[in-house]
Amino acid sequence: DAGITQSPRHKVTETGTPVTLRCHQTENHRYMYWYRQDPGHGLRLIHYSYGVKDTDKGEVSDGYSVSRSKTEDFLLTLESATSSQTSVYFCAISESVVRSTQYFGPGTRLLVL
Amino acid sequence: AQKVTQAQTEISVVEKEDVTLDCVYETRDTTYYLFWYKQPPSGELVFLIRRNSFDEQNEISGRYSWNFQKSTSSFNFTITASQVVDSAVYFCALSEHQETSGSRLTFGEGTQLTVNP
């Protein structure tokens, strides 16, 4: 199994508070991704990173920001959490464009009240 | 824009039946990858297979087989002699192939497979 951890695994928070989710990898892979999973939508890309300090937006990036200050960590921040951001968040990593299979972390279940 | 359609939202079969999960995709890229992932009730996403756009050979892995047909933009997944442990949500996904974005995946909505004893 790819060495990917996510923290926290579960979180309950209140509307309007900032929340940061962490993804940590031990594979030294270049690419990292954040997805959210909601019923009826499959998984949708929020943000991704193609190197340290190199990030870009995905399909559903509004209300989210990311940072990657070192290869192994990719942080997702909900600047002011809303109930619509209640979801399961998955981090994924891939090695290269050629070796492009994404491996996923265990997920973080976030409930915004 | 890329799109993946899994028209079967839910499928229910009895153990030992064969079952095929359909996946149809849309892309303008000439180079792309297709994937299947399994999400069991425990919630993790398990990689099953990757197929690139230049390789239309069908693949078999134990009870699993995949049929890739570019002419119909389909990448279907068959489980032979299904077992209760195959019960899961199965996702088909399509990736772009760019240096800066790596392999951004577009997922279908998933098919919930229930295998009853």
Side-chain angles (χ1 to χ4, degrees):
Chain A
D1 290 344
I4 312 168
T5 57
Q6 293 184 230
S7 58
R9 294 292 314 279
H10 303 271
K11 187 170 181 67
V12 180
T13 191
E14 294 187 349
T15 297
T17 60
V19 176
T20 296
L21 309 182
R22 180 185 184 230
C23 177
H24 179 79
Q25 60 144 328
T26 58
E27 306 296 322
N28 201 35
H29 283 0
R30 176 183 176 186
Y31 300 96
M32 299 185 75
Y33 311 82
W34 278 107
Y35 294 87
R36 60 178 289 174
Q37 182 178 21
D38 305 290
H41 291 282
L43 282 85
R44 293 178 292 174
L45 182 66
I46 305 171
H47 281 281
Y48 63 96
S49 170
Y50 48 97
V52 174
K53 292 185 169 48
D54 293 322
T55 65
D56 205 347
K57 296 179 180 179
E59 180 186 356
V60 290
S61 59
D62 287 348
Y64 301 95
S65 63
V66 291
S67 66
R68 191 170 178 200
S69 59
K70 44 187 178 178
T71 300
E72 57 265 37
D73 288 327
F74 192 32
L75 304 180
L76 176 71
T77 297
L78 288 65
E79 294 142 9
S80 177
T82 67
S83 58
S84 64
Q85 294 176 312
T86 291
S87 187
V88 180
Y89 291 86
F90 285 96
C91 173
I93 65 173
S94 64
E95 184 176 356
S96 65
V97 173
V98 175
R99 294 185 176 86
S100 60
T101 298
Q102 288 188 28
Y103 296 94
F104 285 81
T108 294
R109 193 171 295 271
L110 176 67
L111 174 61
V112 183
L113 300 174
Chain B
Q2 301 188 128
K3 185 178 179 181
V4 175
T5 301
Q6 295 180 255
Q8 305 149 308
T9 304
E10 296 181 17
I11 300 176
S12 182
V13 300
V14 176
E15 206 169 17
K16 297 185 183 177
E17 284 186 30
D18 298 347
V19 58
T20 295
L21 309 182
D22 297 333
C23 174
V24 174
Y25 63 92
E26 298 175 26
T27 181
R28 293 183 179 180
D29 292 344
T30 55
T31 301
Y32 53 90
Y33 291 90
L34 294 161
F35 301 81
W36 277 95
Y37 287 87
K38 174 182 179 180
Q39 187 174 42
S42 52
E44 72 271 24
L45 283 156
V46 179
F47 164 72
L48 295 178
I49 190 171
R50 183 184 84 163
R51 173 66 72 222
N52 74 50
S53 53
F54 297 109
D55 183 2
E56 287 195 73
Q57 281 190 332
N58 291 331
E59 176 140 348
I60 298 174
S61 176
R63 296 184 296 106
Y64 294 171
S65 62
W66 291 268
N67 183 359
F68 175 32
Q69 292 193 339
K70 286 181 75 170
S71 61
T72 56
S73 297
S74 64
F75 187 42
N76 296 335
F77 173 29
T78 297
I79 302 174
T80 302
S82 60
Q83 299 176 2
V84 172
V85 294
D86 295 326
S87 296
V89 180
Y90 290 87
F91 290 99
C92 181
L94 168 69
S95 77
E96 298 177 349
H97 189 76
Q98 297 177 14
E99 186 66 25
T100 54
S101 62
S103 60
R104 295 175 49 160
L105 289 175
T106 299
F107 282 84
E109 293 184 14
T111 298
Q112 170 72 61
L113 173 65
T114 302
V115 182
N116 298 296

